[in-house]
């Protein structure tokens, strides 16, 4: 076996009382794509952050080409040829696309930025990647998906990088861009770079990865070549047991309408959307990124006010732009971007879980602590949130666990209608199944679910009906049996 | 294991108590320096470590403490209130105009005892605070600018009330709130401070409103998604801050016996300092009233101790500036917030 | 058209400044429409006052009166006025130049001397005093402080001990806290308080009261003669050195009017009557009019209070 | 085809020019009110709309403008610098001690022309700024607290230099930087302001450093991931702010001809106001120097116009407070930033 390009061995790291890594190991070889797998909170991001010099390991050794190294800052890691696309979106909002891509490596003339060259290079890079983004646009005017693409382009712009790390790069981008990304990854590998790829979309691993490493509870539990395993085996290694079927679907739709949209629109995002959601039904909404689905859910929920059309819940019109009214009629909304619109990062897991329900948990304005605590404990247990205590700050949870907190809060108040926007983004297979089971049970008990997702598998696996949105209009409605990959893509494109 | 609360694991406990250590350290330092004077024979006794001096410090921090309580809510909600000093002056002036025995300073001036002046001060403070909150939440402008505007305008109103003159010769009923003593020992301003802290602590930690304040400051959009009327919360936060500026106005006016147009100038800085020393983050969502209390105490002990020790005023400034920074650096919780 | 006079005040958040403004507006020439006085608030910033001086010149005022923030930093106002040929009168506090048309001032060194003298006389030149100073480095603090020291040095060597001296920034509230702390540090040791203005002396009185002492056991003095100080004098709690806001404001307006109107102008304010023998009109040609300080005593305090409308 | 851009060009243009409209509106308002006085016959001429007055306004805003330039960098980097007023005083005092004809105020005092005093002022300002930056980046404490400490300590140092005395009688070479005129018309401070703005604009918009300032303020972690030495950037930002406080100290001291211990008191508020009116966000990452320039102009025109109109000082305060808020509310870019 050849000497690995990078080898991290016996890395330990704990945050306060939380042991994030107990025995982190990772070996990378040049020219290969290495999938780093593991459940939420297994320590994947932590070991990568240590590699990048964000955290100092408590113990362990890192060797690069056989030489022991220790990075104290990302600067040093970059200088040693390691670049990363971080799990959470992280651009500089008020700089342009090109400035973001080449941040830290901008073409210069002395102390000055060589802007013509900068934009030329950015143009060239973006078009070689096939990303249709204006390099002069300011980053904060882009969609989340485009921002994610910029993050990817940024890592790829480091031509001198020998190791490129992708921590869940596809969680926010569309299928087409993901395909393009895979091509680029293969090219990079072919050029002799080592690629680390973290994802919770297992299909992707089998599509592009050569090697795999599985983490569980902060330690490497398995490593090898992807060719030697299959999906079931991988899942087994990740969650320490077998899993039967990835989706759970036991609900049966009724004919009783609970949510009706007629001609709903809000310029410039979407217009003339009609739909009817029935009790016991899971209605999938599919569309390309940027097709206006998030805006539609925001509007139904009352975060935004529609320009036209009507929303009826249980036959009664819902006052527009009124979140409280929506909550009162039994709507609940799991937003797409948990950091921006879902969580209070600076607050504890407990206060996040109970936040939307405090209005029912008080007497004379005073919070009823026992009742609150019961609700929190139930939510933590119900969603299997991995946290040392409800007092832990949400900021310190792993991405997937953060998603579970959002989910836990939205479902704790016994809603009747769930609006879900990318409900399993960044969630591991085990947790995904729990969420699916929850959705299924929820619908079986008579609840109704409107689920927006960009994951075709998920849409197909869970929906009773699928609505396809294209440029802000509903263009197709497919019953469960007619909804397959091909027809959905056809309708959406 | 406990729920919903911020304490729990080890680093979090440090976070809770770091400021207390800083405070105790400061007291030991000042106490030791005073003791040195006793040992040297310069002083008959340690003037710092007496019950009377402790009560005096409480008396002296009462105004800043009350302002800092309101500021804690504001800062946790993600804002800042620069107008408290001006609103203190404005409400104090209005109160004084209803508590003076020298007629003629305003058209309505007179001595109406204590109740009416106090109600007027609290109403004036709250109304101005409501205006702050309304502007901030309605027009979504930065709290810094909105309250900077009120800092100026409030000072202007203060002067406009009496055409720029002070109001003095205040009635004894009113002055009791600044100079009276409970059980002949505890200054009334200190008692007021205690009550304000207690009530505010209950509101912030035990009520739904308090939770919402943290939520709005932590992430306004998420708070809205949870069905919180964030605008209303913001308005109430500034009303509270204005109300407490009114309370502070009553205390200061009653203490000095005169409503001055320049009263409270730059008091906002001390109030913000107390809150930030107490562990709050100016980006919102983080802060504690116990922290603020110790923050105000630290500032008070510093002022008192340096005066007692007879430190020259420019060294006093240098020492105070450095100590504030040290108190924050040494607070071990700091590392977690950054 | 009326004579346009720009009256540059260093600030306007103190009672004394308000009194000056009031007396300026009560000047007979203003009341009769012969003169129009526009007051400018210097916001306690010498640089702002200089800018306002330049602006008054640009706006072609007929005369400028300045009550300067600082002894040195406001000299420029005199310079620019002279360059533009606009008569400029300095009032209230002095400027370190001789180029102005005239000064109508009260000497701060003298004021500081008189107040310290009052304290020391009551103490019989024996005991411990504290000095509450104006903002460190400001003209008021420096000059009144000089006067304070002169008075102390006239006592026998070592008879009077200055226990503490520190600034309370002209503020009653700050002086209150400061004096409380001093009383803690020097229990029963302080005999006299020299406040460089009345507000701070009044703050000291509040502190003494709140510490449970009898104010009458202390010798306390301040400067300015603000209304509360007059009341305190009446109550026998302190001595105040009255700085005559009316004399300064109206005197300087007369001098400025004379320069603009010419020889026909006769002084209209009755202050010249009041100070006959102490400060002569002299056809408005005196370089420096020294408006006398008045020591406020229980005898003259009632008349002064009455003049204020009480 | 989608380019990925959400907003069109229109709102961005508005964003860029909203502040200019606010400024023009204010000028028209003041100009019209002055014209009214001319029409009424009260005034011989429109005193506001003259070249002299325009130059005067530039002269007046020079100190605040220079401070606001530094503050723009600081605020874009996500911080705040409360110490600029004190550092102005400190560096001005140090400069004056090397430019005075009255010996003895300090051990080293003397008249060394203009060059040495200016170098001293800039060095003192920069060094204090470096200390600010070092504390903030090394200990990760909030800029508000670190610079509040420096606000106090800097004032203390200013006094300690001369034992609390001012320094006067400055040499003519030095004073030229405050009182001189270019082509007998343009005040040197205005020229300095222009140069400072121009250089700063180039640094912020054209250099790598400028990009990094936006990056650090916009998303510190992302900046670090890109290999930017964020600590070094922060230190340099505060050095720049301190340096410019030194420049402002030279201007102000040379202008008034005397280094005052109280110089620059609360100037930080005006500087911050200029930056925020100019469209910057106190949460960092957002801001423009052209905006700051117009922000400073708006404040300058307000002060100048209200003085010229002879508005009574308390109404001035009320009007100024309201206008600042209005300028920000009416700025159409506001909606996008919130
Ligand atoms: N700064 C921190 N403070 C406290 N705990 C932390 C911190 N960062 C991470 N953790 C904890 O360390 C553990 C590992 O987290 P990490 O982010 O590495 O997981 P992950 O494998 O990347 O998960 P995911 O797939 O959900 O992204 C989690 O339990 C997390 O809560
Ligand atoms: N004003 C805004 N500024 C920045 N981002 C926004 C803004 N409004 C919406 N977004 C984000 O842009 C993304 C695209 O939203 P849109 O509704 O157009 O498409 P979508 O079909 O929901 O696509 P996606 O698959 O990304 O959810 C969403 O993630 C949304 O949160
Ligand atoms: Mg992760
Ligand atoms: Mg979406």
């Amino acid at each position: 076996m050849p000497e690995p390009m990078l080898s991290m061995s016996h890395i330990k790291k704990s945050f306060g009382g939380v042991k994030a890594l107990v025995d982190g190991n990772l070996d990378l070889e040049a020219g290969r794509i290495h999938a780093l797998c593991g459940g939420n909170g297994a320590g994947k991001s932590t070991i990568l952050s240590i590699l990048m010099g964000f955290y100092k390991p408590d113990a362990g050794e890192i060797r690069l080409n056989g030489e022991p190294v220790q990075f104290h800052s990302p600067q040093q890691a970059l200088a040693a040829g390691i670049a990363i696309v971080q799990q959470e979106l992280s651009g500089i909002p008020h700089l342009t696309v090109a400035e973001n891509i080449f941040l830290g490596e901008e073409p210069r003339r002395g102390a000055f930025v060589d802007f013509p060259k900068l934009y030329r290079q950015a143009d060239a890079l973006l078009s070689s990647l096939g990303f249709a983004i204006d390099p002069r646009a300011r980053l904060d005017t882009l969609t989340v998906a485009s921002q994610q693409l910029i993050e990817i382009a940024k890592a790829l712009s480091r031509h001198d990088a020998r190791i490129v790390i992708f921590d869940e790069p596809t969680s926010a981008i569309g299928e087409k861009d993901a395909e393009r990304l895979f091509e680029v990854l293969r090219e990079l590998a072919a050029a002799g770079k080592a690629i680390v790829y973290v994802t919770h979309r297992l299909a992707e691993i089998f599509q592009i990865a050569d090697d795999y490493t599985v983490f569980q509870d902060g330690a490497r539990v398995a490593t090898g070549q992807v060719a030697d395993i299959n999906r079931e085996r991988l899942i087994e290694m990740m969650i320490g047991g077998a899993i039967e079927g990835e989706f759970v679907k036991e609900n049966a739709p009724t004919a009783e309408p609970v949510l009706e949209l007629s001609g709903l629109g809000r310029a410039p995002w979407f217009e003339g959307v009609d739909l009817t959601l029935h009790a016991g039904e899971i209605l999938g909404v599919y569309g390309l990124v940027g097709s206006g689905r998030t805006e539609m859910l925001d509007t139904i929920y009352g975060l935004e006010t529609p320009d036209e059309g009507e929303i009826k819940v249980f036959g009664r019109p819902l006052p527009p732009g009124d979140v409280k009214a929506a909550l009162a009629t039994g709507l609940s909304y799991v937003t797409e971007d948990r950091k921006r619109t879902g969580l209070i990062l600076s607050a504890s897991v407990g206060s996040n879980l109970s936040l939307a329900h405090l209005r029912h948990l008080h007497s004379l304005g005073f919070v009823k602590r026992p009742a609150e605590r019961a609700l929190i404990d139930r939510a933590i247990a119900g969603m299997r949130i991995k946290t040392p205590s409800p007092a832990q700050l949400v900021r310190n949870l792993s991405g997937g666990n953060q998603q579970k907190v959002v989910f836990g809060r939205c479902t704790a108040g016994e809603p009747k209608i769930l609006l879900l926007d990318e409900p399993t983004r960044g969630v591991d297979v085990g947790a995904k199944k729990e969420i699916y089971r929850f959705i299924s049970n929820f619908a079986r008990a008579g609840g109704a679910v409107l689920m927006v997702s960009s994951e075709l598998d998920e849409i197909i696996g869970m929906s009773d009906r699928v609505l396809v949105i294209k440029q802000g209009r509903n263009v197709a409605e497919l019953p469960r049996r007619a909804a397959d990959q091909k027809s959905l893509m056809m309708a959406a494109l | 294991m406990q729920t919903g609360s911020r304490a729990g694991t080890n680093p979090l406990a440090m976070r809770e108590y770091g400021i207390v250590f800083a405070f105790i350290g400061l007291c030991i330092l000042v106490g030791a320096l005073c003791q040195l004077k006793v040992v040297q024979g310069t002083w008959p006794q340690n003037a710092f470590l007496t019950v009377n001096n402790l009560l005096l410090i409480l008396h002296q921090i009462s105004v800043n403490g009350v302002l800092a309580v309101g500021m804690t809510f504001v800062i946790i909600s993600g804002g800042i209130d620069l107008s408290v000093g001006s609103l203190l002056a404005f409400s104090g002036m209005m109160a004084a105009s209803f508590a003076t025995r020298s007629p003629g300073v305003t058209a309505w001036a007179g001595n109406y005892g204590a109740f009416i002046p106090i109600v007027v001060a609290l109403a004036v403070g709250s109304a101005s605070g409501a205006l702050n909150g309304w502007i901030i939440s309605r027009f979504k402008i930065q709290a810094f600018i909105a309250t900077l505007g009120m800092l100026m305008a409030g000072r202007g109103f203060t002067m406009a009330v009496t055409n720029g003159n002070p109001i003095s010769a205040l009635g004894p009923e009113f002055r009791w709130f600044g100079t009276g003593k409970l059980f002949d020992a505890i200054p009334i301003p200190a008692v007021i401070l205690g009550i304000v802290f207690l009530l505010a602590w209950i509101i912030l930690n035990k009520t739904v409103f308090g939770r919402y304040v943290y939520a709005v400051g932590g992430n306004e959009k998420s708070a809205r998604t949870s069905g919180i009327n964030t605008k209303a919360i913001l308005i109430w936060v500034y009303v509270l801050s204005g109300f407490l500026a009114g309370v502070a106005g009553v205390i200061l006016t009653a203490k000095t016996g005169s409503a001055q147009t320049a009263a409270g100038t730059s008091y906002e800085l001390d109030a913000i300092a107390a809150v930030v020393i107490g562990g709050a983050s100016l980006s919102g969502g983080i802060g504690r009233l116990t922290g603020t209390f110790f923050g105000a105490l630290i500032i008070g002990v510093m002022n008192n101790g340096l005066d007692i020790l007879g430190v020259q005023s420019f060294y006093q400034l240098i020492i105070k500036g450095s100590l504030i920074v040290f108190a924050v650096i040494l607070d071990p919780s700091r590392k977690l917030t950054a | 058209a009326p004579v346009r006079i720009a009256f540059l005040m260093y600030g306007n958040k103190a009672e004394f400044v308000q009194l000056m403004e009031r007396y300026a507006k009560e000047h007979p020439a203003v009341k009769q429409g012969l003169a129009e006085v526009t007051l400018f608030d210097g916001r306690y910033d010498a640089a702002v006052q200089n800018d306002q001086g330049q602006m008054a010149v640009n706006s072609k005022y007929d005369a400028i009166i300045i009550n300067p923030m600082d002894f040195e930093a406001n000299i420029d106002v005199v310079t620019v006025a002279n360059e533009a040929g606009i008569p400029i009168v300095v009032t209230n506090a002095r400027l370190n130049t001789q180029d102005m048309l005239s000064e109508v001032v009260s000497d701060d060194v003298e004021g500081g001397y008189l107040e310290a003298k009052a304290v020391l006389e009551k103490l019989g030149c024996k005991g411990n005093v504290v000095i509450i100073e104006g903002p460190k480095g400001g003209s008021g603090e420096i000059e009144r402080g000089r006067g304070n020291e002169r008075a102390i040095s006239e006592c026998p060597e070592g008879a009077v001990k200055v226990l503490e001296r520190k600034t309370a920034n002209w503020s009653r509230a700050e002086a209150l806290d400061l004096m409380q702390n001093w009383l803690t540090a020097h229990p029963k040791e302080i005999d006299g308080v020299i406040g460089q203005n009345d507000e701070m002396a009044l703050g000291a009185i509040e502190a003494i009261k709140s510490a449970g002492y009898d104010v009458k056991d202390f010798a306390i003095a301040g400067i300015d003669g603000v209304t509360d100080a007059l009341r305190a004098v009446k109550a026998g709690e302190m001595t105040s050195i009255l700085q005559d806001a009316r004399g300064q404001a109206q005197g300087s307006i007369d001098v400025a009017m004379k320069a603009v109107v010419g020889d026909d102008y006769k002084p209209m304010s009755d202050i010249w009557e009041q100070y006959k023998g102490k400060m002569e009109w002299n056809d408005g040609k005196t370089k420096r009019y020294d408006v006398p300080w008045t020591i406020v005593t229980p005898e003259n305090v009632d008349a002064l209070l009455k003049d204020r409308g009480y």
Side-chain angles (χ1 to χ4, degrees), chain C:
Chain C
V3 175
R4 294 168 67 232
I5 300 174
F7 204 136
L8 312 181
M9 302 293 284
Y10 59 81
N12 78 341
K13 291 202 197 84
E15 186 185 352
F16 183 81
V17 184
Q18 295 301 329
L19 286 173
M20 279 195 82
E21 293 201 14
R22 195 182 110 198
Y23 291 123
K25 287 185 182 142
E26 284 177 2
H27 190 283
V30 178
K31 281 183 144 171
Q32 291 169 22
L34 300 175
E36 187 189 273
V37 174
T38 310
L39 289 142
F40 294 89
D41 173 8
R43 304 194 278 277
Y44 301 90
D45 186 330
V48 168
Q49 259 197 314
N50 284 356
D51 291 337
Q52 289 173 338
Q54 182 67 53
M55 196 194 63
V57 168
N58 286 358
S59 307
K60 306 206 161 46
Y61 276 86
D62 298 312
I64 298 173
I65 298 173
I66 179 170
N67 176 352
M69 177 71 196
D70 189 80
F71 187 55
E72 296 279 356
N74 290 120
I75 296 173
D76 258 17
V77 177
V78 173
T79 314
V80 296
N82 285 340
E83 278 168 9
I86 298 174
I88 173 144
V89 179
V90 178
T91 188
N92 179 257
R94 303 199 54 204
L95 268 183
N96 189 19
T97 170
Q98 291 305 315
D99 299 340
M100 70 287 277
L101 174 70
S102 176
E103 295 176 272
V104 184
V105 294
S106 300
D107 185 357
D108 270 329
V109 179
E110 177 73 9
Y113 175 77
L114 288 174
E115 63 153 348
K117 201 80 193 155
V119 168
L120 298 174
E121 264 167 20
K122 185 168 175 192
L123 294 179
C125 253
K126 205 159 81 58
N128 299 325
V129 299
V130 294
I131 303 178
I132 309 180
E133 302 174 304
K136 205 77 195 142
S139 302
E141 181 260 333
I142 292 174
E143 309 216 335
R144 289 180 188 176
R146 211 170 279 156
N148 295 159
E149 269 153 28
R150 204 174 82 207
I152 292 169
S153 69
E154 285 177 6
C155 285
E157 180 95 34
V160 175
K161 190 169 164 209
V162 180
L163 281 182
E164 300 272 4
R165 60 188 305 166
K166 197 180 257 182
T167 180
N169 297 307
W170 301 139
S171 150
R172 195 186 298 193
E174 272 189 55
L176 170 61
D177 283 356
L178 182 61
M179 187 67 192
Q180 281 181 333
N181 292 336
W182 281 345
L183 288 168
T184 304
H186 308 281
K188 301 198 181 78
E189 289 176 44
I190 301 172
D191 304 307
V193 180
I194 302 172
Q196 288 183 351
N197 77 352
D198 280 341
E199 287 295 344
M200 298 191 295
L202 289 162
I205 290 177
E206 291 299 332
I208 289 167
K209 285 181 183 167
S210 92
Y213 293 100
D214 185 352
V215 182
K216 296 197 172 146
D217 293 342
F218 291 76
I220 303 170
I223 300 181
D224 282 347
V226 301
T227 309
D228 272 1
L230 299 185
R231 291 194 183 103
V233 171
K234 194 170 172 184
E237 294 174 337
M238 67 179 282
T239 306
S240 177
I241 312 299
L242 174 88
Q243 157 151 246
D244 187 0
R246 203 173 68 128
Q248 293 173 355
Q250 299 198 348
S252 47
I253 290 175
D254 270 335
V255 173
M257 286 296 286
K258 162 87 191 183
V260 176
V261 176
D263 288 341
D264 296 345
Y265 186 80
K266 293 281 168 289
M268 301 175 76
S269 168
D270 55 14
I271 61 146
W272 306 106
E273 278 303 316
Q274 183 188 337
Y275 288 124
K276 211 162 185 69
K278 293 182 195 153
M279 183 173 81
E280 296 294 341
W281 166 243
N282 189 23
D283 238 11
K285 293 213 173 68
T286 306
K287 190 77 193 175
R288 172 167 164 191
Y289 293 93
D290 246 313
V291 183
W293 296 92
T294 307
I295 300 174
V296 185
T297 59
E299 289 75 49
N300 63 8
V301 70
D302 284 320
L304 289 166
L305 274 170
K306 197 155 161 262
D307 184 55
R308 299 273 166 88
Y310 298 104

Side-chain angles (χ1 to χ4, degrees), chain A residues 39-46 48 87-88 167-168 198 200 338 397-400 426:
Chain A
N40 292 129
K44 305 181 295 292
S45 296
T46 304
L48 297 176
Q87 179 167 11
E88 303 294 344
D167 197 351
E168 298 196 42
V198 182
H200 288 292
R338 58 179 170 258
L397 293 194
S398 72

Side-chain angles (χ1 to χ4, degrees), chain B residues 2 7 36 43 57 72 77 89 119-120 154 169 182 187 193 214 217 231 242 255 285 288 299 319:
Chain B
Q2 52 169 323
L36 204 70
W43 281 6
I57 291 174
T72 307
S77 83
V119 168
V120 167
L182 195 68
L193 177 65
Y214 277 103
K231 284 189 187 175
K255 216 166 136 177
R288 235 164 291 100
I299 295 176
I319 293 170

Side-chain angles (χ1 to χ4, degrees), chain A residues 116-231:
Chain A
K117 193 166 168 202
L118 175 75
Y119 287 113
R120 262 200 322 275
Q121 284 185 358
D123 237 342
L125 178 67
L126 287 172
S127 49
S128 82
L129 292 173
F131 299 161
I133 299 172
D134 176 5
R136 288 169 198 275
R138 234 175 45 189
L139 191 76
D140 62 349
T141 64
L142 302 190
T143 61
V144 172
S146 302
Q147 294 189 23
Q148 180 80 59
L149 293 180
I150 300 306
E151 286 302 305
I152 292 168
K154 190 164 145 185
L156 298 179
S157 75
R158 303 271 178 176
H159 296 298
D160 55 346
R162 288 176 293 168
I163 300 173
V164 190
I165 301 166
F166 294 87
D167 197 351
E168 298 196 42
T170 51
S171 64
I173 65 175
E175 305 266 334
K176 202 175 75 173
D177 289 319
E179 286 300 333
R180 185 63 205 125
L181 172 66
F182 295 159
E183 282 173 34
V184 175
L185 293 189
R186 286 192 198 100
E187 286 165 24
L188 290 177
K193 298 177 195 279
I195 311 283
V196 182
Y197 193 87
V198 182
T199 184
H200 288 292
R201 296 182 182 173
L202 300 187
E204 293 177 355
I205 294 172
F206 293 93
Q207 208 176 339
I208 57 158
D210 304 307
D211 304 320
Y212 69 89
T213 289
V214 178
F215 269 43
Q216 219 186 73
D217 295 329
R220 178 169 72 184
V221 292
T223 187
Q225 295 201 356
V226 173
D228 300 340
I229 56 166
N230 60 16
R231 187 178 175 111

Side-chain angles (χ1 to χ4, degrees), chain A residues 311-332:
Chain A
I311 307 166
K312 274 194 196 160
V313 180
F314 299 115
R316 270 191 300 267
L318 186 69
D322 184 346
V323 174
K324 254 180 157 166
L327 274 168
T329 52
L331 260 84
S332 191

